[in-house]
Amino acid sequence: MKREYTIKKIAGAPDWNAIETAEIDTLCWTQPLPIQAFAQVCFDQQALYVHLRAVEKDIRAEETDALGSPCSDSCMEFFFCPVAGDPRYFNFEFNLNTCHYIGIGTSGADLTRLISETPSDSALFQPKAQRTADGWEIFYQIPFCFIRRFFPAFRPEGEISGNFYKCGDLTVREHYLSWNPMTSETPAFHRTCDFGSIRFE
């Protein structure tokens, strides 16, 4: 049974205390670990606003390069299909250094990495990450003008699909967590069949 999440519509700056929290609590492919993660998303007329938070002791944050691999580090991710019926999805992956991997495709096999070409593009998502008392968190936005570069028919309404992930390929405790359960026998985040239901309020 797929999980469901409702993206709250806001006016003004997000009040994260009033935003529904999705628990990224489905452990995949490893033994139980003392790591937890949570996701929140809201929207207005211009953008999606994303807040991801991890409870994690041994944080790895080595990747900084524009072509770095944030999933090697302590990493949190948001994958979503913006338009129902279109098999393409975005993947947004960030580490504590805000090193990111943003891609588009229909699977891991045909994924295209999107690289910022201008300073205005690189500032588009406005990522802000910080350590917390028990781990780390990141905030960023996904402007609708960016989504419509690839999905002109996108509207922030109705139901789409997606998943939230927490991972760390080279961390002290290798881990893979998801919001909606994954069904593959080996690590595989790029499977839209494992996405949950996400609905705009």
Side-chain angles (χ1 to χ4, degrees):
M1 184 174 180
K2 291 187 179 297
R3 283 181 157 179
E4 299 180 353
Y5 182 83
T6 298
I7 305 177
K8 183 179 179 65
K9 188 171 185 178
I10 62 170
D15 174 6
W16 295 108
N17 292 320
I19 306 301
E20 179 183 351
T21 297
E23 294 189 34
I24 307 172
D25 59 358
T26 304
L27 181 67
C28 309
W29 312 302
T30 65
Q31 295 300 313
L33 296 168
I35 296 174
Q36 298 174 282
F38 309 89
Q40 295 173 292
V41 185
C42 56
F43 77 106
D44 59 18
Q45 294 301 316
Q46 284 75 45
L48 290 169
Y49 302 92
V50 182
H51 174 216
L52 303 174
R53 179 172 66 87
V55 176
E56 181 178 11
K57 181 180 178 182
D58 299 306
I59 300 170
R60 185 181 195 272
E62 302 293 331
E63 298 288 323
T64 58
D65 189 81
L67 292 176
S69 179
C71 65
S72 297
D73 287 343
S74 301
C75 182
M76 288 187 281
E77 308 178 355
F78 176 34
F79 288 36
F80 66 102
C81 296
V83 175
D86 190 319
R88 296 174 299 158
Y89 62 90
F90 286 121
N91 59 298
F92 281 76
E93 309 174 11
F94 285 90
N95 71 0
L96 179 59
N97 300 324
T98 68
C99 172
H100 57 271
Y101 187 120
I102 297 170
I104 186 172
T106 62
S107 69
D110 77 344
L111 194 67
T112 297
R113 186 169 191 169
L114 304 176
I115 305 297
S116 299
E117 296 181 350
T118 67
S120 61
D121 273 351
S122 61
L124 192 63
F125 308 110
Q126 299 182 22
K128 295 178 178 62
Q130 62 185 6
R131 291 182 182 266
T132 62
D134 58 3
W136 65 287
E137 64 183 347
I138 185 164
F139 302 83
Y140 58 92
Q141 66 178 27
I142 307 173
F144 294 152
C145 62
F146 169 80
I147 296 176
R148 291 187 182 115
R149 292 182 189 177
F150 306 91
F151 298 87
F154 170 77
R155 298 291 182 272
E157 58 189 27
E159 183 178 351
I160 61 173
S161 62
N163 215 341
F164 305 104
Y165 303 112
K166 172 74 183 79
C167 64
D169 292 355
L170 300 180
T171 55
V172 173
R173 298 178 177 88
E174 179 184 3
H175 58 278
Y176 307 96
L177 300 167
S178 68
W179 165 62
N180 200 67
M182 291 183 282
T183 57
S184 61
E185 295 183 358
T186 56
F189 284 8
H190 296 262
R191 287 164 48 90
T192 56
C193 61
D194 291 333
F195 285 7
S197 172
I198 298 176
R199 179 174 294 278
F200 288 95
E201 185 180 65

